[in-house]
Every structure is written in structure tokens, then in C-alpha cells.
Amino acid sequence: MTNAEIAQLFADIADMLEIQGEDRYRYLAYRRAADELGQYPGSVEALWRDGRLEEVPGVGKTIATKIDELLSSGTLKFYERLRQEVPPSLIEVLRVPGVGPKRANLLWKTLGITDLAMLEAAAKEGRLKGVKGLGAQTAQNILKGIEALHSLGDRTLLGTALPLAETLLDALRQAPGVVQAEMGGSLRRRQETVGDIDLLCAAGDTAPVVQFFTELPQVRSVQSAGANKATVILHRDLSVDLIVLPPASWGSLLQHFTGSQAHNVELRSAAVAQGLHVSEWGITRDGVLTPYADEAAHYRALGLDWIPPELREAEGELEAAREGRLPHLIELGDVRGDLQMHTTWSDGTRSVEEMARAAQALGYEWIAITDHSRGLGVTQGLDVERLREQRREIDAVNDRLAPFRVLRSIELEILADGTLDLPDDVLAQLDVVVASVHTGQRADRPALMKRYLNAVHNPHVDIIAHPFGRLLNRRPPMDLDFEALVDACAETGTALEINGQADRMDLNGGQARYAMQRGVMISLASDAHHPDGLKVMSLAVSTARRAWLEPKHVLNAMPLDIFLAWLQR
DNA sequence: GCCGTTTTCGGCCCGACTGTTTTCAGTCG
């Protein structure tokens, strides 16, 4: 079973226990374990074979035993029994905004509702009003919630949400009395997709800011609005939360609403042990609240270094902050070159020189031009002859733009039979070889791994591009033995890419961190097809930061001479 | 069910908003 499948099963268990009204801490323990299993970078099955399941945070003796039963027999009796007691389809009802475990249980017991369709029918027929505790307004809200569920659908790409949030922040900064305005939540942590947008403001008088926000032209409907907080839906089907507090609490507010939830729970649990109580208003000691206007001061008061938002996932950052050993994360300004882009020689829309000048304007010292090789038919890929012609053009551009350097490269197709698209003697003449899989991605794991390992072991291949081949909301990742791929890369000195295309973000943060920890170098790529596309390097850097990467882990942070030396490794 | 700078037992983050069961439960982040 995949990590995701195991995690889903335990998440379902948590939901069913919660609907049953089980002890809060019991179902929270299952949910925590599910989250940790889902984001565990290695293979949970492999951990299980080694008898090391309890190394996963949140997995203790009981859950480890259940995973063992599940993986050795294929089923879990405890789960099967729960499915008899609680209709599994009731879990989807929990996704409706305004319906939690208590109401799901109530609707099931009183009206026999076991899935979303039945809930929708009952709401439309006015049958909810008869249930104790549900008024006409609640029935209306549930209907609206179901509609929202149908229309919202996919999560929003970071690359889509960021500019949208910037626009809203610009507007908020014009609101009466606003002295601070920033994004929070998963957006500030630069998660690759976000479920909603969180905006934070500081203002002396908070209510007028909330009102100003609910009246912005982008707003389609207002879900809730109070003195400090509002939730709205934008015309483009995206939910936005705004929280406004006085400036004295700005730092505490930022900390609280940047999350993640797991980070906050861990932070506050540790604080409680010291007799401190943390909220968005500040830190309470002996019943006295101290607000923090500065986020770093808020962390300092808890004995912690300021933690970059990208690290706030309860993945060891609190311990590192306590011990003063947080990483010095890579920044966009550390990037000296871009390791994947395309020109009119394949599927790009601009010449080598136009791309080079655009990169120069961004302050880069070097780039690699990586047009597709011939195997990818649709993109007019390069064969040996056209590659030779392109080389003359690149040489000429280098003469004109020196000391800026355009490296001769290629995005080399790893073919379905495992061979590479160009012969070794041709690859040997290139500065950098970036290899990738675009076809036959649905092949099974052994077939895919055979192809990848063959490419990694070729002495000319330097980088594997977008290793998983996923497209967010559109195409699942390939079924790889990632640990084996990382081992092979570590052994051969091959780098793995973080592709910054908004719908790729491949590797993701957890995967890149795992590779880094095993000594694999990481390459950052815009994969640009036109000059404007170079800017998504910022998304690749965000992902690199989520992976705890420092400049020393990243090929793009190398000055040209050092990078050229690395290529000779 | 998990876990340990105080703990192998007894805790487990905290506040805003809504609607309804007028004093608070349910939901959400």
C-alpha cells in the first residue's frame, strides 16, 4: 500500500470515531498519525518491514500494531468493524461547511442521512427544520455549503493565489486605520496549493476594516463578519478569511494565523509546560496577557528563534529554533542561474538571446538552455544535426553577452524502453544534461525505476527533471521507488530538480528535504518557455525553503566556475 | 491513543462567529 492509502484509512478511522462521539484525544491521535504517515517522505511499507514504524511521530504501539495487521493481511478488523457501525459515506458529509461530526451524527440518527446526496435532498425538501437544534437558517447554510463544495472543487495553485492575495492586500492597505497587512496561513508558508486565502491586518479600530473588506468589488458573498474577523467568497470561487487585531498584537497575530495548525499545537503544548498560554492576542503568564507587536519577539518570549514561515510544519523546526540551529535558508537573491528553459529551437517562444538577456536582467550570471530532445515528437525536439546548429547560435550569444554564460544543455527524453534519446558521444559535448520522463508515465513501478536508474547511471546525465511528473489537480505522480532513486542519485552524484512551474512543484518540499538529507544536490528550474516564465523561480525557491535547503545544497547558488567544476565530478 | 526539561500517569492549544436549545453548543481555523 502507498503512504497515501495508509494515511487515508487512518484519517477515515479518525472521522468515524469522531462521528461516534469517541473521546476527543483518541480520534485526534488517529488523525495526527494519518497526517504524519501521509507526509512521511520515505516508504511506510519499508519502515514496517524494518520494524521501525514507531519512529513516525504520532505512531505508538497501538497504531503500529494496526499498520502491521493492515500490511501483513491486507485488511484491518478494527476498520472493518467501524464501517459496520458508521456508514463510511457519512465522512463526505463532514466536508460540507457548517456540518461537523455532531451534526453528521444527528442527521444520520434522526433522518437516516448517510451521504451528501441525501443531505442535499433533505435540505431542499425542508426536512432539516424538524431536527432539534437546526433552524431554517442552518438548513439554508447547509444548502449553500453543498453548493460551495460542488463549485470550489480543486485546491488553488500557489502561483494563482499569490498574485490574487497581493491585490487584496494592496486594497486593504488603503482601508481606514490599517497599519499592517500581510498574508497568513498556507499561503505565507508557501504550500504548493492552498484551500483558501488568509489575510491579516493590524488597525486601531478593527470593525471598519472588516466592513471595508466585505465591500471590496472582488467579493461575491459574505459568509460571516464580526468585529475582528470575516470570511468571504470571491467571484472566482475562492474563500478568503480576514482577521484584524490592534497593532500591539500584530506579531502574535502573524504567528497564530500563519500556522500550521500542527506547528501551533506543538508550540503551545511546549508553552503550557512553561506555564504560558499562547493566542493570537499574545502570551499569558499568571493571568497577565502580554501582546507582541513583533513576531520575532513573540517567538523569543517562548525561548525560540524566529522561524521562517516555510518551516512551520511541525517537522522539527521548533526543536531547532530552541537550540539555535535553524538552517540559513536559500533566498531568491542567492540564485545565480536557471537550470531549465526552452527556446524556439523546441517548444519555447523566444530565441536563445532573448531568454539570455531576460535572465541577465534578473541578475543571473549563467543559464542552461534545455530544449527538448527529438524523442518528444510534439515539441520539435532536437536531433544531432539541429543540436549542432543550436551550438553555433549559443556560442555567438556567449560572445556578445560575456561574462554572462549560456550553458549548452538539453532536456533529454528517457524513452519508454529505458534508453536515452541521444547517444553518449553527443551528450559528452554538452555542458549539462537534464533528463526527464514525459511518456509512458503510467507504467508500473519496476518499469519506471528501470528507466530512471538507467538514466541516473549514465555518466553524462547530471540532473533528473520533475522526477514525479505530476500535474497538480490534473495528473497523479508516477509510482516511483523514491528511496531507490535518491540512493542512486547519491551514489552517482546526480542532482534532482525542483521544478517551479505552478502546476508541477516537483519535487515537493518533503521529497527535496529527504534527498538533501541523503546528500543529493538539488537543481532549481523555472522551466520557462518565454522570458516572463523565468519569474516562477521564486516558487522553486519557496519549495526549496520548505525543504530546509541552504545555498550549499543548491546547484543554482554556485558561481559559474564552481558549477562547471561540479559538472566534472 | 500518544508521550515525557514535571510526568510511564495524566495531561493533551486557543479564541471568534453563528444560530438557537436564552446561556451555550457546534464549527472553524
Side-chain angles (χ1 to χ4, degrees):
Chain A
M1 285 177 87
T2 67
N3 293 7
E5 287 166 340
I6 298 169
Q8 186 60 55
L9 188 133
F10 282 95
D12 287 352
I13 288 174
D15 285 342
M16 290 191 281
L17 289 174
E18 191 176 3
I19 290 171
Q20 282 190 321
E22 254 297 338
D23 177 64
R24 179 155 163 261
Y25 296 106
R26 186 160 177 240
Y27 65 73
L28 283 178
Y30 278 98
R31 192 161 296 146
R32 159 110 200 271
D35 289 345
E36 295 284 354
L37 290 166
Q39 61 183 333
Y40 186 75
S43 157
V44 172
E45 268 206 24
L47 263 191
W48 163 68
R49 278 193 296 272
D50 294 346
R52 293 164 46 204
L53 282 172
E54 289 184 48
E55 286 179 21
V56 179
V59 175
K61 202 170 284 296
T62 306
I63 292 180
T65 304
K66 287 185 164 67
I67 298 175
D68 177 51
E69 181 190 336
L70 178 67
L71 292 180
S72 36
S73 75
T75 62
L76 179 58
K77 286 205 189 72
F78 176 64
Y79 174 67
E80 298 306 326
R81 199 189 74 221
L82 272 178
R83 288 167 59 91
Q84 300 303 314
E85 296 169 4
V86 181
S89 56
L90 206 52
I91 292 170
E92 71 190 38
V93 172
L94 296 177
R95 289 167 47 225
V96 178
V99 179
K102 299 282 192 332
R103 281 177 185 161
N105 185 299
L106 187 68
L107 291 165
W108 170 41
K109 293 284 172 61
T110 56
L111 297 177
I113 287 169
T114 56
D115 61 33
L116 208 49
M118 291 172 80
L119 176 61
E120 187 165 13
K124 281 185 174 154
E125 293 161 15
R127 283 188 281 129
L128 299 186
K129 271 183 291 187
V131 181
K132 177 169 64 86
L134 297 185
Q137 188 59 51
T138 303
Q140 194 60 38
N141 287 344
I142 286 176
L143 261 185
K144 273 163 64 180
I146 293 172
E147 268 173 46
L149 207 56
H150 290 325
S151 67
L152 288 174
D154 294 334
R155 288 173 64 84
T156 304
L157 301 182
L158 178 63
T160 306
L162 273 176
L164 204 57
E166 292 289 359
T167 306
L168 293 168
L169 284 174
D170 285 344
L172 277 169
R173 290 187 180 112
Q174 308 305 314
V178 168
V179 294
Q180 298 276 11
E182 293 295 340
M183 51 188 97
S186 49
L187 207 49
R188 185 163 181 241
R189 301 198 310 278
R190 299 295 194 267
Q191 206 167 282
E192 63 244 39
T193 62
V194 300
D196 67 1
I197 290 178
D198 291 306
L199 301 179
L200 310 172
C201 276
D205 195 3
T206 61
V209 180
V210 174
Q211 185 180 351
F212 177 92
F213 172 67
T214 59
E215 291 168 355
L216 286 175
Q218 292 96 327
V219 172
R220 185 177 69 204
S221 65
V222 179
Q223 301 293 101
S224 73
N228 300 97
K229 183 176 186 303
T231 300
V232 306
I233 306 287
L234 302 184
H235 288 295
R236 50 185 305 169
D237 278 335
L238 190 60
S239 178
V240 185
D241 286 339
L242 172 74
I243 298 100
V244 194
L245 289 189
S249 291
W250 173 242
S252 302
L253 173 65
L254 265 181
Q255 196 284 312
H256 174 80
F257 278 103
T258 297
S260 65
Q261 189 158 352
H263 174 87
N264 283 353
V265 168
E266 192 178 327
L267 176 115
R268 288 169 184 205
S269 300
V272 166
Q274 304 174 49
L276 305 174
H277 295 272
V278 181
S279 81
E280 64 267 44
W281 292 89
I283 301 174
T284 305
R285 180 194 288 272
D286 301 328
V288 181
L289 174 80
T290 308
Y292 290 90
D294 178 68
E295 193 182 38
H298 178 102
Y299 273 105
R300 241 186 340 268
L302 297 167
L304 300 166
D305 289 343
W306 180 81
I307 301 173
E310 294 92 337
L311 299 187
R312 301 183 195 175
E313 300 288 352
E315 294 286 336
E317 74 279 7
L318 287 159
E319 195 183 350
R322 202 172 293 125
E323 296 167 2
R325 51 175 184 81
L326 284 166
H328 298 283
L329 298 180
I330 185 162
E331 296 173 13
L332 188 55
D334 294 320
V335 173
R336 296 165 183 266
D338 192 330
L339 275 161
Q340 196 189 154
M341 68 185 68
H342 302 259
T343 72
T344 48
W345 284 93
S346 63
D347 59 348
T349 62
R350 293 292 189 281
S351 69
V352 171
E353 179 157 359
E354 284 172 287
M355 295 303 284
R357 287 188 182 279
Q360 211 175 11
L362 292 175
Y364 294 163
E365 297 163 22
W366 52 267
I367 56 171
I369 294 290
T370 58
D371 279 304
H372 289 284
S373 63
R374 61 188 172 183
L376 198 57
V378 290
T379 63
Q380 307 267 336
L382 301 175
D383 56 19
V384 178
E385 181 53 36
R386 292 185 65 230
L387 194 57
R388 196 175 297 132
E389 288 174 40
Q390 189 196 38
R391 175 176 188 155
R392 282 195 288 275
E393 183 171 324
I394 290 177
D395 288 346
V397 171
N398 275 327
D399 286 343
R400 286 197 288 276
L401 300 187
F404 185 86
R405 176 73 176 273
V406 178
L407 298 169
R408 298 186 309 270
S409 184
I410 194 149
E411 186 175 5
L412 177 69
E413 198 58 25
I414 301 171
L415 300 172
D417 63 2
T419 60
L420 299 175
D421 200 16
L422 289 168
D424 281 2
D425 62 317
V426 174
L427 300 181
Q429 294 167 29
L430 294 165
D431 296 313
V432 194
V433 174
V434 179
S436 62
V437 169
H438 290 92
T439 56
Q441 299 193 349
R442 280 188 290 187
D444 63 16
R445 182 183 286 209
L448 286 167
M449 290 312 296
K450 187 172 158 233
R451 293 164 70 186
Y452 265 127
L453 295 180
N454 185 48
V456 168
H457 282 106
N458 181 298
H460 301 294
V461 171
D462 300 299
I463 299 166
I464 301 294
H466 47 70
F468 280 89
R470 70 160 178 188
L471 292 176
L472 288 162
N473 294 334
R474 283 196 292 154
R475 189 166 71 203
M478 282 183 270
D479 180 21
L480 303 184
D481 181 346
F482 187 53
E483 288 168 319
L485 177 61
V486 167
D487 285 346
C489 286
E491 182 192 329
T492 57
T494 308
L496 290 170
E497 180 185 87
I498 293 175
N499 189 295
Q501 292 281 306
D503 61 351
R504 286 196 183 271
M505 300 291 261
D506 174 13
L507 303 176
N508 69 25
Q511 293 156 351
R513 187 178 181 198
Y514 177 85
M516 172 271 282
Q517 286 169 334
R518 275 150 191 79
V520 173
M521 289 296 289
I522 301 295
S523 157
L524 304 182
S526 70
D527 201 353
H529 289 66
H530 51 83
D532 204 42
L534 295 170
K535 292 179 187 155
V536 300
M537 178 60 78
S538 63
L539 298 181
V541 170
S542 296
T543 301
R545 291 170 63 84
R546 288 177 61 79
W548 295 55
L549 299 190
E550 305 187 39
K552 67 181 179 191
H553 302 124
V554 175
L555 295 179
N556 311 62
M558 293 179 176
L560 180 64
D561 54 338
I562 305 288
F563 181 51
L564 292 176
W566 179 82
L567 289 169
Q568 302 306 314
R569 71 203 179 281

